[in-house]
């Protein structure tokens, strides 16, 4: 029989587990939109898009937990257009929305970086960059010898072929990675001794830096690299509290 957990109890547990007060983030972390008091089922997803919220409502969710929530610094504060439609659905359906950005990237067990490493057979042994957001390590599979080998491996594991900048025949050494829009951390990865850097996105200047530094770059997709942290967190909550969890993957090619 499924259990329930109070909204405030869940909020406190998530805040403490993910250590949200440690971070200077671009959005509020934790409960972002208040819904019903008792939670029996949670839906997790990458981004709190209207499609995800509709799927959560259809699934009978009491709460939605995402990596990309709302109320980002610098965004238009008006509740109009898409923002209005999203908030209206949450409020009329009485669904709680929790969002965790950097705390979910960083977490040692449920974080996007550590969960991506598990799926790509990367063995972490170091960190780099501001707040140690970037991860360093080695490929565990000895059959993966070159940047081209790793690109094919990533494509098979993530079901999305990455963009490789660099020589496919380049031998693999230390790997640096950070999920999402972390192209700006390439310089930090180079300074940390990475021979290849893996992230979700890539920018125009980053291509030149990768070429000129000789450090290969794999752009694997923002969404594709960040599907696993929130999913792992949801599975943990279901096991810990005896509540129901469903991960909903809204397709996103970026």
């Amino acid at each position: 029989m499924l259990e329930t957990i109070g909204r405030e109890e869940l909020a406190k547990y998530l805040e403490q587990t993910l250590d949200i007060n440690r971070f200077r983030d671009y959005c509020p972390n934790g409960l972002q939109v208040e819904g019903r008091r008792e939670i029996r089922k949670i839906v997790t997803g990458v981004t709190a898009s209207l499609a995800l919220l509709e799927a959560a409502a259809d699934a009978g969710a009491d709460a939605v937990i995402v990596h990309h929530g709302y109320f980002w610094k610098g965004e238009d504060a008006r509740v109009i257009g898409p923002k209005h439609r999203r908030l209206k659905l949450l409020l009329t359906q009485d669904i709680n929305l929790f969002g965790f950005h950097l705390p979910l990237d960083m977490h040692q067990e449920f974080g996007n970086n550590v969960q991506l490493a598990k799926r790509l057979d990367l063995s972490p042994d170091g960190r780099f960059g501001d707040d140690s957001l970037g991860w360093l390590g080695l490929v565990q599979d000895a059959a993966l010898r070159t940047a081209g080998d790793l690109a094919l491996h990533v494509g098979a594991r993530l079901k999305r072929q990455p963009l490789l900048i660099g020589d496919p025949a380049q031998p693999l050494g230390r790997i640096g990675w950070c999920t999402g829009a972390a192209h700006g951390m390439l310089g930090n990865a180079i300074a940390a001794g990475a021979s290849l850097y893996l992230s979700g996105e890539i920018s125009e200047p980053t291509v030149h830096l990768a070429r000129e530094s000789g450090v290969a770059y794999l752009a694997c997709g923002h969404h594709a690299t960040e599907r696993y942290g929130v999913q792992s967190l949801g599975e943990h909550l279901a096991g810990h509290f005896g509540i129901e969890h469903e991960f909903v993957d809204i397709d996103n090619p970026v």
Side-chain angles (χ1 to χ4, degrees), residues 117-134:
K118 290 180 179 180
R119 279 154 182 83
L120 299 183
D121 301 316
L122 302 175
S123 178
D125 61 14
R127 306 285 282 273
F128 67 90
D130 292 343
D131 293 323
S132 298
L133 188 59

Side-chain angles (χ1 to χ4, degrees), residues 189-234:
I190 294 169
S195 66
L196 180 146
Y197 179 61
L198 184 157
S199 186
E201 298 182 12
I202 189 166
S203 64
E204 194 274 344
T206 311
V207 173
H208 300 294
L209 179 58
R211 287 172 175 169
E212 293 169 22
S213 67
V215 173
Y217 194 112
L218 279 178
C220 306
H222 193 137
H223 177 87
T225 57
E226 295 194 326
R227 287 178 294 196
Y228 307 109
V230 73
Q231 188 173 352
S232 174
L233 179 62

